[in-house]
Amino acid sequence: MSAQAEVLQQAFTLGYTYTRTTGPVVGRFLTALRDRKIVGIKGSDGKVIVPPMEYDPVTAEELSEFVDLPDTGVVKTWAWVKHPRGKHLLDKPFAWAQIQIDGSDIPMIHMVDAGDESKMSTGMKVKVRWADETKGFITDIACFEPA
Amino acid sequence: MAELAAVVGIGQTKYQTKHKTVSIAGLVRDAALKALQDAELTWDDIDAVIVGKAPDMFEGMIMPELYLTDALGCNGKPMLRVHTAGSVGGSTAIVAASYVQSGMFKRILTVTYEKQSESNAMWALSNAQPFSVHLNAGAGGFFAPIIREYMRRTKAPSDAGIKVAVKDRLHGARNPLAHLQLPNITMKEVEESPMLWEPLRFLESCPSSDGACAMVIANEELAAQSPKKPAWIRGAAMRSEPTMYAGREEVSPQAGIDCAKDVYAQAGISNPRKDLDCAEVYVPFSWYEPMWLENLGFAEKGEGWKLTLEGATSLDDKGDIPWNCSGGVLCSNPIGASGMIRFAEAARQVRGDAGNHQVDGAKLALGHAYGGGAQFYAMWVVGSEKA
């Protein structure tokens, strides 16, 4: 009987570089962020969706009716992060929240910097804190803060 | 198969180096909408959507089916994705057809695509693996030695590959959707283009393209109601074999031979050169035409290059069995879609709807795709009549 062969293992890392084109709808949303503005889009059922979708979630039709929105909104629900990790974008405790931008119907997920969990509540009003430098990324909205 | 199925709608984007103004979803959607329009249908008429694309690493997009649900009108409908490397366009069409043939769905939208301008296909298709030397060859480097072996065995003259490169580009010049438009290409120009992977020159290789192709496949009852002529699916087959087995016959892989035999038997074809009116065959590098002519039974072993040089496969030379009238993969190569384009172009021919690259009176056509390391095969035969 021969000895059983050792089963070898090796870690390996694989990485490539790619490009993405945003298209006319998401591209417009991101371009507006760069100008410190928020745009949504109107769906077939009349609901305003932000960030905008290219295609109607109900009928699949192409959407094109953009709606200019303010940079204020309402917290619909939230979860407090007591101990932010290195990858989190805020280095102090904050809330992940579903925020319904005023004039829109479908909430979006972003962060709220309220300082303390006791300052957070469902239904609270918030406004955008813009990044110092805007680039056309979703992080142009640095976070929301109590309004 | 229980039910007959037919192609009732075809949609293709223009194939080009870069579609700058659309997202991937927008590109795929364009082909899908054109297929619906061709079939005079709407999203509501579709029972299920079956999508295919080349390996995830090519574009770095994991689960494209998830991202494309809204763009393809899948809300409330089944959505499936097919994977078989470069042959995926063909196997996706066959999976879609088989769902109709089985009676599971009555009318399916099937779509494939690639946005090579946003991808990294060249290197992602020969990625490094632990415990192995990195081949790092890309597709041309992988296939060139196999082509050299074909040339050694058959003593084919080097201008057979050049002839294919010219012939397919002249075909492509008849097709406004084709990526490369080279109506004045010459043998000399191809011969003088840079040698990339001996014996393959730059102009003997396929381009990198953005594009998408879609089809609507319906059962017999719904196909009979379609406003345009259906292309009846007369046979479909897929075969695979193990890429990494060094003892494999790579010049004329057994899986390709078996797949062709199967699809011909279903379609009642005994002599493919005589019985078929034309073929759309996956030829990404010039020499694959003579190689596949033999593998698919259009020529005797060792004789494929003679058909090519005689002009048998050329529309312009009035050949008896034109291959790749659309310009083929040598003119347009959005990898994930390239197989489906072959299948769709075969269907266009038998629908009499192939425009300036139409083969007069085409009644029976072959669509062919291969992928992996010449490891996956997908083929169908479509006809203007049901049987």
Side-chain angles (χ1 to χ4, degrees), chain A residues 45-138:
Chain A
D45 53 5
K47 288 182 176 169
V48 174
I49 306 162
V50 61
M53 293 179 73
E54 281 197 83
Y55 306 103
D56 191 275
V58 181
T59 65
E61 290 310 316
E62 237 167 87
L63 295 177
S64 58
E65 196 181 330
F66 290 94
V67 182
D68 291 329
L69 298 168
D71 65 356
T72 55
V74 172
V75 170
K76 304 299 285 184
T77 185
W78 53 279
W80 189 252
V81 180
K82 284 195 180 83
H83 304 290
R85 307 279 172 144
K87 295 272 182 188
H88 281 127
L89 295 175
L90 292 176
D91 58 6
K92 54 180 174 173
F94 68 96
W96 285 116
Q98 286 209 16
I99 296 157
Q100 191 170 322
I101 298 289
D102 293 332
S104 78
D105 298 282
I106 309 293
M108 64 184 269
I109 290 184
H110 217 293
M111 300 165 287
V112 178
D113 177 10
D116 190 87
E117 188 175 357
S118 65
K119 303 276 175 50
M120 288 298 303
S121 62
T122 297
M124 72 186 280
K125 291 184 182 304
V126 290
K127 67 177 182 202
V128 170
R129 180 192 299 161
W130 294 100
D132 292 339
E133 187 194 351
T134 56
K135 304 187 269 199
F137 292 179
I138 189 66

Side-chain angles (χ1 to χ4, degrees), chain A residues 8-24 53-63, chain B residues 18 20-23 25-26 29 43 57-61 70-71 73 75 115 118 120 123-124 127-131:
Chain A
L8 301 177
Q9 273 189 46
Q10 194 182 91
F12 91 112
T13 306
L14 194 57
Y16 294 101
T17 53
Y18 303 99
T19 314
R20 283 293 179 273
T21 301
T22 54
M53 293 179 73
E54 281 197 83
Y55 306 103
D56 191 275
V58 181
T59 65
E61 290 310 316
E62 237 167 87
L63 295 177
Chain B
K18 187 168 174 60
K20 287 182 196 165
T21 56
V22 289
S23 60
R29 165 108 176 173
W43 300 110
M57 210 101 66
F58 284 18
E59 281 157 320
M61 180 178 289
D70 52 323
N75 189 9
K115 215 172 179 205
E118 304 193 2
N120 203 331
W123 305 118
N127 51 52
Q129 291 293 324
F131 304 111

Side-chain angles (χ1 to χ4, degrees), chain B residues 212-225:
Chain B
C213 178
M215 290 190 285
V216 178
I217 297 177
N219 70 8
E220 186 173 14
E221 183 194 349
L222 293 174
Q225 299 165 14

Side-chain angles (χ1 to χ4, degrees), chain B residues 235-260:
Chain B
M238 294 184 271
R239 290 291 187 282
S240 316
E241 57 183 52
T243 319
M244 296 314 224
Y245 171 50
R248 189 166 73 98
E249 164 55 36
E250 291 193 80
V251 173
S252 188
Q254 191 61 41
I257 295 171
D258 294 346
C259 190

Side-chain angles (χ1 to χ4, degrees), chain B residues 199-220:
Chain B
L200 293 169
R201 295 167 179 84
F202 177 72
L203 282 172
E204 291 181 86
S205 307
C206 55
S208 292
S209 313
D210 283 2
C213 178
M215 290 190 285
V216 178
I217 297 177
N219 70 8
E220 186 173 14

